[in-house]
Amino acid sequence: MSDVKDDAHWRDKLSPEAYTVCREKGTERPFTGKYCGDKREGTYLCACCRAELFSSATKYDSGSGWPSFYQAVGGESVIEETDGSLGMSRTEVMCSNCGSHLGHVFPDGPQPTGMRYCVNSLSIHLDQDED
């Protein structure tokens, strides 16, 4: 991770809600995030460091209540780690640049990857394509 900052930096930069999600591994309530039903084209960036994470071309409606993508941008834009919280085993997804918590990935998505990256809206920012 190349953009490691201290806790005070993130508390100053992020809203309290975004801080809870991105730095404390919180989760938005389903169907409440601003990007859940968003259909605009562009690239989704990390809300913390603005690294490229997902393309709108890989976004789909999973019905889960969170923005879902079947593939991350590039091979190394996100990192995965086993998450044993809440009494279950899931795979957490984080920004590989700054370590921000994005959400979780599940093996029940559409082809061509079969993956569902279930991401919190507070952890991403849409950089819209120019027309």
Side-chain angles (χ1 to χ4, degrees):
M1 284 180 268
S2 62
D3 195 17
V4 178
K5 307 278 192 231
D6 67 13
D7 192 54
H9 170 83
W10 297 122
R11 284 191 185 277
D12 186 52
K13 179 178 174 151
L14 301 170
S15 70
E17 297 83 10
Y19 181 85
T20 297
V21 168
C22 297
R23 308 318 299 179
E24 296 180 331
K25 302 178 188 274
T27 302
E28 297 169 333
R29 289 188 334 242
F31 302 101
T32 63
K34 67 181 179 178
Y35 296 122
C36 186
D38 197 307
K39 305 258 191 258
R40 294 177 290 169
E41 294 182 4
T43 302
Y44 287 88
L45 311 176
C46 176
C48 293
C49 71
R50 297 298 198 249
E52 291 187 358
L53 300 172
F54 301 97
S55 167
S56 62
T58 65
K59 188 174 188 281
Y60 71 100
D61 183 4
S62 69
S64 67
W66 290 274
S68 297
F69 304 86
Y70 63 78
Q71 181 174 307
V73 171
E76 298 180 10
S77 60
V78 299
I79 53 176
E80 299 176 5
E81 186 173 286
T82 300
D83 174 5
S85 67
L86 305 177
M88 63 182 96
S89 181
R90 301 178 290 174
T91 302
E92 178 186 3
V93 180
M94 297 162 288
C95 172
S96 64
N97 189 52
C98 72
S100 177
H101 171 76
L102 304 173
H104 293 87
V105 62
F106 304 94
D108 60 3
Q111 292 305 316
T113 66
M115 303 307 287
R116 173 173 53 100
Y117 290 87
C118 197
V119 178
N120 291 287
S121 288
L122 286 168
S123 69
I124 54 178
H125 169 79
L126 177 60
D127 184 19
Q128 288 185 277
D129 289 343
E130 303 276 331
D131 288 325

